[in-house]
Amino acid sequence: AFYSGLSSKIFESTYKIVGDLPGGLAIATVAACTAFGAICGSTTATAATMSSVAFPEMNKYNYKKSFSTATIASAAIIGVMVPPSVIFILYGVSTGESISALFMAGVVPGFLLMTVFMLTAWLVAVKNPEIAPAGPSVPLKEKFKALFSAGMEVIVIFLAVMGGLFAGWFTPTEAGGVGVFATLLVTIFRKSLTWDGFKKSLSASVNLSAMILFLVASAFVYSKFLAVTGLPTAMANMAASAPLPPVMV
């Protein structure tokens, strides 16, 4: 999604829709982070992508740098809640919880968090216009065109992954493959993915997969270590027998 330019298109479309509001670029960044997180699942990738896409635009329109960086850093965290979250996958694998159930549980909090961030950015901009000035006005026709252009692509990818997962057509692991295939189809249709970008995306995917597998393996080793040493039970017994009120325990 990043190397095909899909992330840039998502940001440009959201900016056209809300950019003329006070703090419009910040609101667009929050919306773009949510949309990008919903198709990649990585907060790190979302933060890195939006830093290269949104931050230069904010500087262009004289946004205060501290406000710009805070917006990107905080909005990237939404990817933790919005499926397909990599954190949910790691948690589900480590604890044996249903990944589908975790994804379902994160939908409402994720979009609620997005709404709160957008409202906060707007209130800050209204109170201090010099921090986040409004951008140029865009005709209503262009706004609808932008919504349909980028919105449909995100919806197609999201539904391909989450719809099939919730319907029970494939497992979370297979859903990742479906997401990659759906994104590839979108980029082929848009003719936006170069051969060099394709190779870079493969390399980045291998690096991310290796990191995740190392974390999962380390988590299993750590859990076995705790089970063998009996440390959790010992700590629980120590806390229960301590002469402390229940609130402090």
Side-chain angles (χ1 to χ4, degrees):
F2 173 72
Y3 289 104
S4 67
L6 181 58
S7 56
S8 301
K9 187 174 182 182
I10 291 173
F11 175 75
E12 290 170 3
S13 297
T14 53
Y15 175 55
K16 286 181 179 180
I17 297 171
V18 298
D20 54 350
L21 297 174
L25 268 173
I27 297 173
T29 300
V30 174
C33 282
T34 306
F36 190 73
I39 60 177
C40 82
S42 171
T43 57
T44 305
T46 303
T49 300
M50 290 303 142
S51 295
S52 61
V53 173
F55 189 69
E57 288 295 316
M58 290 183 174
N59 283 340
K60 179 180 176 181
Y61 288 98
N62 299 318
Y63 272 55
K64 191 174 181 179
K65 289 186 177 181
S66 58
F67 179 75
S68 302
T69 53
T71 299
I72 296 171
S74 57
I77 300 300
I78 299 175
V80 172
M81 300 301 299
V82 178
S85 168
V86 173
I87 304 300
F88 279 170
I89 295 174
L90 287 174
Y91 181 82
V93 171
S94 301
T95 62
E97 295 289 335
S98 169
I99 296 177
S100 299
L102 291 173
F103 283 171
M104 182 68 76
V107 172
V108 174
F111 284 99
L112 180 62
L113 197 61
M114 178 193 73
T115 304
V116 171
F117 282 171
M118 294 171 73
L119 182 60
T120 301
W122 180 78
L123 289 174
V124 170
V126 169
K127 186 176 180 181
N128 303 288
E130 69 281 358
I131 292 179
S137 180
V138 177
L140 187 61
K141 183 179 179 180
E142 288 294 321
K143 290 186 178 184
F144 278 110
K145 185 178 179 181
L147 177 63
F148 179 80
S149 177
M152 287 303 297
E153 294 173 353
V154 173
I155 290 172
V156 166
I157 297 172
F158 185 79
L159 289 181
V161 176
M162 303 312 302
L165 184 60
F166 290 146
W169 296 340
F170 38 72
T171 65
T173 302
E174 293 166 344
V178 171
V180 171
F181 183 68
T183 305
L184 184 61
L185 287 181
V186 169
T187 56
I188 291 175
F189 179 77
R190 292 175 57 231
K191 299 179 180 179
S192 58
L193 183 62
T194 63
W195 177 246
D196 185 55
F198 180 71
K199 291 191 293 184
K200 288 181 178 178
S201 66
L202 290 180
S203 176
S205 299
V206 170
N207 290 335
L208 181 61
S209 299
M211 179 190 71
I212 292 174
L213 290 175
F214 182 77
L215 288 174
V216 172
S218 300
F220 276 115
V221 172
Y222 182 63
S223 64
K224 289 293 183 181
F225 169 78
L226 291 178
V228 171
T229 59
L231 184 60
T233 304
M235 292 184 66
N237 293 334
M238 182 179 65
S241 60
L244 298 171
V247 175
M248 294 187 65
V249 173

